Amino acid sequence: MKSGNPETGGMVPCLLIGESAPHIHCGRTIRGLMLDIIIAMLPSAVLAIVYWGVDALRVMALAVAVAVLAEAACCRLMGRKSSIDDLNAVVVGLLVAFMLPAGVAWWAVVVGVGLSICLGKMVFGGIGANPVPAALVGYAAISVCWGIHVDPDTVQLATSWSDPLTKLKFFGAAGIEKFGYADLLFGRQIGGLGSANVGMILLGGLYLVARRTVRWQIPLAFLLGTAVVSGLFYMAAPETYAPPLFHLLTGGVMFAAFFIATDYACSPSRTAAMFLYGVLGGALVVLIRVYGMHVDGTAFAVLLASLVVPYCVLLRPKPFGVK
Amino acid sequence: MIRMWKEFSKGLWKELPPFRLMLGLCPTLAVTASANDGLGMGAAVIFVLTLSNVLISLVRKIIPQKVRIACYIAIAATLVVVVELLMQAFAYPLYQSLGIFVPLIVVNCIILGRAEAFAGKNPVHLALVDGLGIGIGYMISLTFLGSLREVLGKGTWFGHPVMWDGFEPFGFMVMAPGAFIALGLIVGAMNFLNMRMAKKKAQGALQEMDGCAACGGCAMATKSREL
């Protein structure tokens, strides 16, 4: 776009005004943002260790270690300055770990996190260049290939809890009667080791929103999308479909809304676009859960929604004077 | 003789069809779920490409300019029918697994591309080695891509198990997206190697050149050198 000159009142308004130095730095750094996200993930991580013991710690530590090593190796191969100190690799590793069950095989973690960093992030040019959330790339790849080693249902056998979404898938609304909302909120359900602790994720998410690390529109729109679409199904046939609150408190919905869908590089930035993106993702979750073959379609819903983002971004006001 | 070697060897690295010229990508992506299929497809293309190059080079002075494309396609189509019938007779399982992609060799851009760019302008012996070189390059590429996908995706190579016990096949690789990702990674790796080689070669001689021209790894550089 041509840059108009504000003084001559050009036809095209100046969208980017560059003043000469010195500038005031607002104090935000990538490292600071990533630290915020890690802090927000801590409560859920602690609860995961309380519930699953050293297994959960093992998965998270391995994921973070592999992520940092993979990023360092990629940077070296690309002949770049190492970018591991911006903590983004740590966050990506933790995000992948949060979606995996605590008993997952170590090689699945290594391959998943390695793919996330190498194919999800570095191959496009590093942080800020990824077209889809990096953590989802590796998770999607391993969950498609090694479903039996990655699905919470087939991995977490030594527990009395069960996976509410599997019950819903195979037994319909009758299968989920015994789940209380309080149980779901406190994470007494089988799911990803971190993402199933819905209450703690919500706590961390609210912290992120309060700190303005993430924009509130995306999580709100995502949860709204899930609630409205599942509400429509529920209103149509309450004896077959689960109530909206059930969908919000199970699987990875809360986690995806606050931590995955808000990825800086691949979420839009205008309010209308953010709402469209969030609602689309949330609606896709329910559609996959109802019609799809996946038990919890959250990861795939966010992947699809982030592929639509380039079109959501077209929702913008017409610049003054442009036909 | 040197000329013939030059025309033959360019197909093996410098103009490797699917990875350097980006030609013939449709079968490259579609039939390389196993090394065997890649090899079979490559062999069929060698046969068709070499013979069509020779035939087209033989008749290049008789064909009127205006109808040359139609003639090329008629020649290629004849040869493809021959391959198809041979395959049905002697390699029926391969014919079944390649499916529609055998008849589609007719419209493969490598065949028409070599005919138009090379065989239509050059004598028979050069057209023969050009077809052989490009065809063998294509077969090697397809077999390599097929091997990569089969070893990772099924844990076998030409049908024989090659990975360790307890290896969990990475099934994603034999599905359609795996083909795109594997192709992209191979092309990236080849560009990386080429840039490395060009840099090493150019270190001494091209000291005075700056920026893009000094690297020699991409199309921009060739262009600026020609200017």
Side-chain angles (χ1 to χ4, degrees), chain B residues 118-180:
Chain B
F118 198 90
K121 296 173 190 150
N122 286 289
V124 178
H125 65 287
L126 289 181
L128 173 79
V129 289
D130 174 75
L132 268 179
I134 297 272
I136 290 175
Y138 192 66
M139 184 176 78
I140 294 174
S141 316
L142 254 61
T143 314
F144 178 66
L145 185 58
S147 309
L148 192 71
R149 290 178 63 194
E150 190 184 343
V151 168
L152 288 177
K154 290 187 200 142
T156 60
W157 193 51
F158 286 102
H160 304 292
V162 287
M163 301 303 255
W164 61 93
D165 281 345
F167 169 76
E168 286 289 335
F170 198 58
F172 180 72
M173 287 304 281
V174 288
M175 292 190 252
F180 285 92

Side-chain angles (χ1 to χ4, degrees), chain A residues 140-155:
Chain A
I142 58 172
S143 72
V144 166
C145 294
W146 298 318
I148 199 162
H149 300 281
V150 173
D151 268 359
D153 281 314
T154 47
V155 175

